[in-house]
Amino acid sequence: MKKIYRVYAMFSGGLDSILSVIYMKKLGYEVIPIFFKTPFFTPENAQKAADENGFELTVIDITKQHIEMMKAPRYGFGKNMNPCIDCHGLMFRELSKLMEENKIDFLISGEILGQRPMSQRKDALNSVAKLSSVKDLIIRPLCQKLLVDTKPIREGWVKKEEMLDIQGRGRYRQIALAKEYGIKSFSNPGGGCVLTDIQYSIKLKDLVEHNMFEEKYIKFLRIGRHFRLSDNVKMIIGRNSDDNEKLSKLITDEIIFKHLEIPGPLAIINSKHKLQKNEIELVASLLLRYHQKIENEAIVHFGENHKLENSIQVTKMPREEVKKYQL
Ligand code: SF4
């Protein structure tokens, strides 16, 4: 009886990863798509793509390993704070740990030669492979015809002539395949990763520069307006009630500021020390700047962990002063 090879697929939910899964399934492989989750890329898009295409998605949280890797990526960052080569290397390494136990024969990914400047040049694909212990077990079905043979090809588990030779930034061959396979919707490559976003990268860089590159601070970065008040004090203000609610849910031991009687924005403080009086004044007056219903002066309450036991009377920060704190 012909052996059915079991394959892990790195799955982002982008078109290339959908295509690589469908392509290998059609060739008769048992493909198990895996999504790696961190604060920078969350599984919603991938789950939607998996559901639409009838895949059973496995989600694995690699937050801790990813944050560690980002402190010193061997191949550096791309245009923004995206360490794509090391990121892919890490994902392959994590997959390799699970292979034996789950009887997986080899790994696939939807990378395309030369499609993205940082991670998909030929030397970059080699670097990704070098960073993982399974470099000889990786197949890239969409461009493997153009790459050096790995074990699955040498051993005849995968026929090289059945692999594709897509390369470059043009997307017409992928779009044609998507039509052929009846794929309903898909996002852009890398579309779900905030590390490629310039505004997000500015906020992340600020954490790195202030020794705050930790999960407890990173988790706030996707929400609200962000301000750097001093080396030790970072402030986040909700833009609307939706933001306020999301921020509230994330609070553990942070100090929060808000006006108790008049509904308005919530401010969260990430601080490495106990706030000084001048810092409390600064935070409260900046918060009032974003309080539409307060003219000039008001009492702002604050305290740890939703206990707003303290208060301070301040005036609204002048509009022109805000800029110097804004991230
Ligand atoms: S775009 Fe984001 S998730 Fe994708 S490889 Fe780069 S850093 Fe990793």
Side-chain angles (χ1 to χ4, degrees), residues 41 66 81-85 87-88 91 116 119 190 193 195-196:
F41 33 95
H66 202 273
M81 286 290 280
N82 51 314
C84 292
I85 296 176
C87 178
H88 274 177
M91 291 176 187
R116 280 190 270 160
S119 62
C193 175
L195 296 175
T196 59

Side-chain angles (χ1 to χ4, degrees), residues 236-270:
I236 304 139
I237 302 182
R239 290 170 198 269
N240 47 40
S241 56
D242 190 38
D243 273 0
N244 292 343
E245 207 181 309
K246 285 185 189 154
L247 288 171
S248 284
K249 284 187 186 150
L250 291 179
I251 291 165
T252 50
D253 58 356
E254 288 78 15
I255 298 172
I256 66 173
F257 282 69
K258 77 186 226 187
H259 193 286
L260 273 191
E261 282 93 39
I262 309 172
L266 176 74
I268 306 280
I269 301 304
N270 289 152

Side-chain angles (χ1 to χ4, degrees), residues 126-293:
N126 287 336
S127 309
V128 169
K130 257 193 249 161
L131 286 173
S132 64
S133 54
V134 284
K135 62 179 181 187
D136 202 29
L137 287 175
I138 303 172
I139 288 285
R140 285 142 171 140
L142 303 184
C143 64
Q144 188 63 43
K145 236 183 201 167
L146 306 167
L147 304 175
V148 174
D149 297 348
T150 49
K151 191 174 176 185
I153 303 254
R154 291 197 309 274
E155 295 289 328
W157 309 340
V158 173
K159 290 193 185 109
K160 189 160 187 168
E161 62 275 18
E162 288 182 340
M163 297 290 98
L164 297 173
D165 57 356
I166 304 177
Q167 65 175 317
R169 303 180 74 113
R171 309 265 297 149
Y172 69 96
R173 285 184 67 189
Q174 291 97 304
I175 306 279
L177 273 177
K179 273 199 187 131
E180 188 186 325
Y181 294 156
I183 298 170
K184 292 188 199 94
S185 60
F186 45 85
S187 52
N188 293 326
C193 175
V194 285
L195 296 175
T196 59
D197 178 275
I198 186 162
Q199 289 308 325
Y200 186 90
S201 293
I202 289 170
K203 292 183 256 174
L204 194 61
K205 221 175 192 169
D206 168 77
L207 290 188
V208 173
E209 284 166 2
H210 294 91
N211 288 325
M212 293 173 104
F213 189 60
E214 294 171 33
E215 200 181 339
K216 66 185 272 205
Y217 303 123
I218 293 171
K219 71 182 181 190
F220 290 104
L221 289 194
R222 285 169 179 256
I223 315 161
R225 297 184 163 90
H226 290 241
F227 304 87
R228 167 61 57 188
L229 305 188
S230 71
D231 279 347
N232 290 313
V233 184
K234 161 92 197 281
M235 177 174 177
I236 304 139
I237 302 182
R239 290 170 198 269
N240 47 40
S241 56
D242 190 38
D243 273 0
N244 292 343
E245 207 181 309
K246 285 185 189 154
L247 288 171
S248 284
K249 284 187 186 150
L250 291 179
I251 291 165
T252 50
D253 58 356
E254 288 78 15
I255 298 172
I256 66 173
F257 282 69
K258 77 186 226 187
H259 193 286
L260 273 191
E261 282 93 39
I262 309 172
L266 176 74
I268 306 280
I269 301 304
N270 289 152
S271 173
K272 290 195 287 179
H273 68 199
K274 194 169 180 301
L275 289 188
Q276 307 298 304
K277 174 130 192 295
N278 61 333
E279 290 170 331
I280 293 169
E281 274 168 10
L282 185 61
V283 171
S285 99
L286 183 48
L287 174 70
L288 284 192
R289 166 52 45 208
Y290 289 94
H291 208 305
Q292 312 284 348
K293 294 180 191 136

